[in-house]
Structure formats: structure tokens, C-alpha cells
Amino acid sequence: MSALPTILILNGPNLNLLGLREPHIYGHDTLADVGRDCAELGRTLGLHTDLRQTNAEHHLIDLIHEHRTSTAGLIINPGGLTHTSVALMDALGAYPPPIIEVHISNIHRRESFRHHSYVSLVADGVIAGCGTQGYRLALQRLAVLIA
Ligand code: CA2
């Protein structure tokens, strides 16, 4: 348990493959690299970070519920659930602290089914197409929002 405010960084289905497959779309950084870089940046911002990944929609929702009152903000890359999950949107709608949605790729330059995000309807900010740097940009934004 850290005395610093905690930022939860949630990653949805298939993001465990980051850096291992499809580097032309998602780059070469792994999720472990993202976790390490965010932890390092978090230290300079006075924030503790906790990065999780799950392939299960219900687990993602449970994590959001569990962290409703114990975290100061949320960064979420919901993976493919971005475009399909009303249940995830509802869970995020019941999460009081600020939420930043991150997509590594520019979803608006890809297939039309990726252009709509249920998560954007409840997120305080959205970052897309900045590669894995998007997670660090989101952390900087949360530092401002919770100051
Ligand atoms: O650009 C993003 O970050 C996405 O959220 C990634 C999702 C995709 O469904 C969204 O439309 C955009 C896909 C996550 C799967 O990630 C992989 C990473 C490496 C190799 C294979 C899949």
C-alpha cells in the first residue's frame, strides 16, 4: 500500500500481446515496458501506478468496482471492448474519479467499426494514435486533474 495517490491503469483483451505481435500497428513496447515507464513517470509526479491486464470483460468490470474508492484516477485501454461493451461503460460511469481512455493506434484512421467508443461517452479525456506514449500523456493529464 502506497501513501501516494494511486492511478489504476487497466488494459483489456489481447493487450498482453503488446510488443509481441502486430508491431506495425502497436509498436515494439511490451505491457511490462508501459508499466515500468508509467511507474517511473508517476514517481516524478507524486503518483503511484498499478497496471493490470485481463482478457475477461467481467474481471475488468470487477476491477473498476473494487477500485472505486481506493484510487485517484483511471487510465483505461479497453481493447476491443471499447467498441462493444455497454456493461463496461456502465461500470466506468459508476467510477467517481477522472478517467482517461487510451488507444495506442489511431482508431479513427482504422476500420469504421473502431470509430465508435462506448467508453468515450464516460471518459474525461481520450488519447489515440500516440503509441504507448499515450499512457504517459494520460498520467500527466490525471496529475493535473487531481491536483
Ligand atoms: O489501439 C488500441 O490501443 C486499441 O485499443 C487496441 C485494441 C483494438 O481492438 C482497438 O480497436 C484499439 C486491440 C488490442 C489488441 O492488442 C494487440 C496487441 C498486439 C498484438 C495483437 C493485439
Side-chain angles (χ1 to χ4, degrees):
M1 190 69 182
S2 166
L4 297 173
T6 295
I7 303 300
L8 184 63
I9 306 174
L10 290 181
N11 293 276
N14 299 307
L15 283 158
N16 52 309
L17 299 176
L18 195 62
L20 309 176
R21 308 287 277 275
E22 305 196 55
H24 56 292
I25 302 175
Y26 300 112
H28 291 278
D29 287 346
T30 65
L31 209 53
D33 294 329
V34 171
R36 190 203 53 230
D37 291 349
C38 285
E40 195 177 306
L41 175 62
R43 277 191 287 277
T44 73
L45 296 170
L47 298 170
H48 176 69
T49 58
D50 181 1
L51 183 141
R52 313 283 185 98
Q53 189 277 329
T54 175
N55 291 323
E57 181 176 14
H58 70 94
H59 188 211
L60 209 51
I61 291 168
D62 285 344
L63 284 168
I64 293 163
H65 291 176
E66 279 165 29
H67 290 85
R68 279 187 77 253
T69 56
S70 59
T71 51
L74 174 64
I75 296 169
I76 183 163
N77 183 344
L81 295 173
T82 305
H83 319 295
T84 62
S85 181
V86 172
L88 178 61
M89 177 187 72
D90 287 344
L92 291 168
Y95 176 87
I99 299 169
I100 307 293
E101 175 184 357
V102 170
H103 299 285
I104 298 163
S105 64
N106 181 354
I107 54 176
H108 301 289
R109 209 167 65 177
R110 299 182 65 189
E111 304 96 322
S112 59
F113 66 83
R114 296 187 201 275
H115 295 176
H116 178 262
S117 165
Y118 285 101
V119 171
S120 296
L121 298 172
V122 289
D124 294 283
V126 182
I127 296 168
C130 296
T132 55
Q133 185 189 3
Y135 290 86
R136 301 195 297 282
L137 296 172
L139 195 53
Q140 286 174 325
R141 178 62 184 157
L142 282 176
V144 170
L145 290 177
I146 68 179

